Amino acid sequence: MTLRPHRGRDARAWSEVRLANERWLAPWEPTRPQPWRVANDVSQYPNLLRSLRRGARSGDTLPWVIAYEGAFAGQITLSNVVRGAFCSASVGYWVDGRLAGRGIMPTALALVVDHGFTAAGLHRIEVNIRPENAASRRVVEKLGFREEALHKRFLHIDGAWRDHIGYALTVEDVAPTGLVSRWRASRTP
């Protein structure tokens, strides 16, 4: 599993993975005005790429492709990056459901958290997850994110305002070795 920047030539793979995973992803995705097939058509990728690059240039967003065995497998993004006294960001992610259960998502999230706390100089990283999303909750719980809050009607997801559970880590929670090191150690027999 590797993380890398988004590329223009990812359009077809992005669309294929998204279209193949509608049942896996749609319940957790922001509400869109158009049907899944339209929103995830290859023609939509250039707009997504422009938006991600604009956010990366401004420092508000740090986006990555999750690649597994060299193939496009998902996406993970540090977003809503705030500097100053808050020095925080949120993480959003998704992975091809056909690859779930292989440790890809926890590994990707651990890498992003370590990057956020080191290279990006953040102090706090949050993940907000719908209570019903057991798979995503397992990811953050495996990594030691602490549950902090229930956010009522927090985001408009899958057609309605949905509650989310707020999880977070601070740099002190993973010091001095980092989250990747802790994740790897937890997987060693």
Side-chain angles (χ1 to χ4, degrees), residues 141-189:
E141 290 165 358
K142 285 177 189 177
L143 294 174
F145 276 76
R146 79 180 148 274
E147 184 177 326
E148 291 189 335
L150 174 63
H151 304 294
K152 299 298 279 181
R153 295 169 297 283
F154 186 63
L155 294 170
H156 205 272
I157 303 291
D158 193 30
W161 290 101
R162 309 289 184 169
D163 296 348
H164 282 67
I165 297 173
Y167 292 87
L169 282 174
T170 61
V171 69
E172 294 89 355
D173 295 324
V174 300
T177 59
L179 194 54
V180 171
S181 176
R182 186 164 75 188
W183 168 239
R184 286 185 178 144
S186 76
R187 300 183 77 200
T188 305

